[in-house]
Amino acid sequence: NLPEHILHCYARSYNTGAHPFGTVFINVLAKDFRPLSPQNVAVLYTVGALGRNKKAEGEGEVSAEREALVKTNPREFVHEIYLTGANVIRSVVSYNKDHAKGALPRIEVVRVPVIAGGTFIHPQVDPSEVALALLWGIHQGLVDSADEDRPAVELMPGKAMEDAYAQYRKMPTPS
């Protein structure tokens, strides 16, 4: 049974490994529990890649075993972010196509921050590179889906995302 404020839960992962980098969790909120606007129908959470063996503030001590999960190669880290961006959009598209019927609302807009561009960022990767990989993943997820199932995408403001978006608009394809 779900709590009264959650109408539906959905998850999608492309990763078959032991740690679910890029997995997306969607919690669809009941009408009376949507913060700030009735259009805020869901909360999405995704598991970003680890570019360093750290934890966010308040998460406790970092274990030595966690080191094995770190993407030590900067290209592999950035590629994981690309895959995560694609999975975020594919998750919403899949939810909209298969579940947004009757009492469950469609997710019309997704607001996207830079995922794994802070505490967990690879030390040889710039936050704008993380954001650009995320944008190209989002792009791929949108290209692969039917128009009627796609959400609009809003990018969270900030220098990294703004720089990445400017670069994205200049590039014909990801490099």
Side-chain angles (χ1 to χ4, degrees), residues 64-102:
E65 296 85 35
R66 187 177 165 105
E67 187 66 37
L69 302 174
V70 173
K71 300 291 182 184
T72 57
N73 180 307
R75 284 182 167 266
E76 288 178 13
F77 175 78
V78 170
H79 184 68
E80 197 73 48
I81 300 302
Y82 167 83
L83 294 172
T84 299
N87 196 47
V88 166
I89 294 304
R90 289 175 181 147
S91 297
V92 173
V93 165
S94 178
Y95 164 81
N96 281 346
K97 181 180 177 190
D98 298 335
H99 301 283
K101 298 173 177 118

Side-chain angles (χ1 to χ4, degrees), residues 52-158:
R52 61 179 81 190
N53 192 15
K54 291 181 82 173
K55 285 191 174 183
E57 187 175 327
E59 285 189 324
E61 296 296 316
V62 179
S63 68
E65 296 85 35
R66 187 177 165 105
E67 187 66 37
L69 302 174
V70 173
K71 300 291 182 184
T72 57
N73 180 307
R75 284 182 167 266
E76 288 178 13
F77 175 78
V78 170
H79 184 68
E80 197 73 48
I81 300 302
Y82 167 83
L83 294 172
T84 299
N87 196 47
V88 166
I89 294 304
R90 289 175 181 147
S91 297
V92 173
V93 165
S94 178
Y95 164 81
N96 281 346
K97 181 180 177 190
D98 298 335
H99 301 283
K101 298 173 177 118
L104 295 177
R106 284 180 45 81
I107 298 173
E108 300 288 347
V109 178
V110 176
R111 291 185 191 103
V112 181
V114 178
I115 298 168
T119 299
F120 309 112
I121 192 169
H122 191 285
Q124 296 173 351
V125 177
D126 184 85
S128 63
E129 293 172 307
V130 173
L132 184 59
L134 187 66
L135 289 177
W136 278 114
I138 289 168
H139 174 100
Q140 189 61 55
L142 290 170
V143 166
D144 292 346
S145 59
D147 289 348
E148 63 271 10
D149 299 321
R150 293 179 188 161
V153 177
E154 292 180 1
L155 305 176
M156 297 294 283

